[in-house]
Amino acid sequence: MEITLEELRAMPAGSYVLVDTRSEGERAYGAIPGSVTAPESPQPGVRYVLYCRRGLHSQQLAEEWEAEGLDAVSLQGGYNGWLMDHLARQEQEEDDLCRRVEDSLRRRFRKSIWSQFTKALRQYQLIQPNDRIAVCLSGGKDSMLLAKLFQELHQHTAVPFEMAFLCMDPGYSPENRRLIEDNARRLGVPLHIFESDIFDSVFHVEKNPCYLCARMRRGHLYEQARRLGCNKIALGHHYDDVIETTLMGMLYGAQIQGMMPKLKSTNFAGMELIRPLYLVREDDIKKWRDANGLRFLQCACRFTDTCSVFDDNEETRSKRQETKRLIKQLKKTNPDVEARIFRSLENVNLDTVIGWKTKGQKHSFLEEY
């Protein structure tokens, strides 16, 4: 007697035992979840569902067990049939997820994310005709959102441009590398991954390892982007990053320094860095992530790998997290504090500044006093 996959799924959990009759060597390539190896002494009163590679051997075995008074059936198509069905269902689920994510950007998050994304492109002139842009993915929510926005833009814009999706593996753990690859596949992002040894290079650096890591990563990204024929790299820094970086510079760096929406590279001639999420709020990115049931890396470096793998895990203690808490506290009495910090970067009054730097040169108000 045979049973189909549809009939098997309709059976209540716990009402049967799924038995893998294949050899140990065949099982090493994969098995149906929840299955067990054939028992030496099958028990009467237990319903057994047997499967082999294609359902032929298991059918013979099921008939032998039935002849002995046992309740046994064979799974039609065996493991191969289950695997083909599983892959087809997985592909369909991924297609459904990808469409749902893209639809959410067109509808639910059109005002809070899509409109702010396109506004930044226009306001700061981030894309020019015939640009080839390397959209850089780190494995986090911000860069993956950026990738999906660029895919959407490419379908609807009248401005001709090309893009490549670039990810550097600086020494991720296998689990983190796999998560990045799985997310890219599920969301339909054709990812180009290249390796580097940056984590090994900065792991034993005691002073400012994160700063050194960021600088090295950017250099590698520029170089790889250039090899792919790109003239720009796009990073996933958002509105909140701009605010926090400004405050961090004042509180910890004794300087007023913003995060620009675009920069010309000083070391790679003809290359530019752009930040298309410049006007997108982090809370809206989190809402987009959660509304679609997505999970991403937060920080996958070896300093935090054991304590902060996913976005919703406990956040690591750092200057940026301290700054986030400070802004959150200030919002209790000044709800517009974030917008005011952001606008302050557009309203710098040099007549009231004691000193400033431009193009590497320091200046003082005394020069024109």
Side-chain angles (χ1 to χ4, degrees):
M1 180 179 176
E2 285 187 310
I3 186 173
T4 65
L5 278 170
E6 290 73 17
E7 291 171 331
L8 180 65
R9 294 191 185 98
M11 295 172 61
S15 64
Y16 64 92
V17 175
L18 185 60
V19 178
D20 188 340
T21 66
R22 298 173 302 159
S23 67
E24 182 178 354
E26 288 181 303
R27 289 196 299 271
Y29 290 97
I32 301 177
S35 61
V36 299
T37 57
E40 294 183 3
S41 302
Q43 300 297 314
V46 177
R47 185 167 179 77
Y48 292 101
V49 178
L50 314 180
Y51 74 89
C52 60
R53 185 172 58 174
R54 296 180 180 176
L56 301 179
H57 172 71
S58 58
Q59 187 174 9
Q60 293 179 340
L61 185 59
E63 292 174 355
E64 294 175 5
W65 284 19
E66 277 193 314
E68 297 175 4
L70 299 171
D71 184 0
V73 294
S74 173
L75 179 61
Q76 191 178 83
Y79 176 75
N80 287 1
W82 172 87
L83 181 60
M84 295 300 294
D85 180 81
H86 173 72
L87 293 175
R89 285 173 173 269
Q90 187 178 54
E91 183 177 356
Q92 184 60 51
E93 290 174 0
E94 291 172 358
D95 288 344
D96 292 343
L97 172 64
C98 193
R99 282 194 294 269
R100 185 171 72 248
V101 166
E102 292 167 355
D103 186 67
S104 72
L105 293 175
R106 302 185 192 112
R107 299 176 183 272
R108 180 173 177 179
F109 297 98
R110 183 175 185 84
K111 183 177 180 180
S112 59
I113 293 180
W114 174 256
S115 294
Q116 297 303 313
F117 167 70
T118 55
K119 180 181 178 180
L121 296 181
R122 294 190 305 269
Q123 183 170 324
Y124 303 116
Q125 302 176 16
L126 300 183
I127 298 181
Q128 302 300 324
N130 302 316
D131 274 345
R132 180 167 172 79
I133 303 168
V135 184
C136 301
L137 281 75
S138 64
K141 64 186 189 307
D142 309 324
S143 58
M144 183 58 76
L145 170 63
L146 182 62
K148 295 307 297 179
L149 287 169
F150 263 105
Q151 286 183 322
E152 191 72 13
L153 179 70
H154 196 258
Q155 293 184 42
H156 303 292
T157 185
V159 178
F161 78 94
E162 297 299 327
M163 57 191 175
F165 299 100
L166 189 59
C167 177
M168 179 182 65
D169 182 347
Y172 290 136
S173 67
E175 295 78 12
N176 289 336
R177 168 73 176 254
R178 185 161 52 249
L179 179 63
I180 294 172
E181 293 173 333
D182 287 347
N183 278 333
R185 187 193 68 253
R186 294 171 67 219
L187 294 176
V189 177
L191 198 57
H192 174 81
I193 301 181
F194 69 99
E195 283 80 22
S196 75
D197 58 355
I198 289 180
F199 282 177
D200 288 333
S201 300
V202 303
F203 185 66
H204 297 290
V205 175
E206 296 183 1
K207 187 176 181 180
N208 296 327
C210 295
Y211 172 78
L212 178 60
C213 180
R215 290 294 299 270
M216 294 178 66
R217 286 163 71 109
R218 190 167 300 176
H220 280 274
L221 288 171
Y222 270 127
E223 178 62 33
Q224 192 68 23
R226 187 165 63 180
R227 290 179 182 176
L228 294 176
C230 299
N231 64 309
K232 292 180 179 178
I233 65 171
L235 302 184
H237 297 124
H238 47 66
Y239 185 96
D240 297 70
D241 288 326
V242 178
I243 297 167
E244 293 158 11
T245 298
T246 302
L247 277 184
M248 289 168 64
M250 297 173 64
L251 300 176
Y252 304 109
Q255 61 181 337
I256 299 176
Q257 178 174 315
M259 177 181 282
M260 299 294 285
K262 64 179 181 180
L263 292 168
K264 292 183 178 180
S265 174
T266 56
N267 298 320
F268 295 85
M271 297 289 291
E272 289 186 29
L273 179 155
I274 60 174
R275 296 184 169 104
L277 298 183
Y278 203 76
L279 301 179
V280 178
R281 299 302 308 269
E282 184 176 25
D283 281 346
D284 291 321
I285 299 176
K286 290 179 178 179
K287 290 176 183 177
W288 167 80
R289 173 201 64 191
D290 297 341
N292 290 291
L294 302 173
R295 302 210 13 125
F296 299 110
L297 295 180
Q298 175 178 315
C299 181
C301 82
R302 295 180 188 171
F303 296 100
T304 59
D305 206 17
T306 58
C307 62
S308 183
V309 177
F310 294 106
D311 280 333
D312 52 2
N313 282 7
E314 182 180 356
E315 294 179 320
T316 57
R317 296 182 179 275
S318 67
K319 295 292 189 295
R320 186 168 294 275
Q321 297 307 327
E322 290 177 15
T323 306
K324 283 181 179 289
R325 288 191 289 269
L326 173 60
I327 294 173
K328 185 177 181 180
Q329 185 66 30
L330 291 172
K331 284 181 66 176
K332 293 180 180 179
T333 55
N334 183 0
D336 298 325
V337 66
E338 292 159 308
R340 295 187 183 280
I341 296 172
F342 188 90
R343 290 296 302 275
S344 70
L345 293 172
E346 301 174 342
N347 295 294
V348 179
N349 188 344
L350 289 180
D351 292 334
T352 64
V353 175
I354 298 175
W356 65 93
K357 289 175 64 176
T358 179
K359 297 182 179 179
Q361 298 295 318
K362 295 188 66 174
H363 298 272
S364 168
F365 80 103
L366 293 174
E367 294 174 10
E368 298 182 4
Y369 186 75

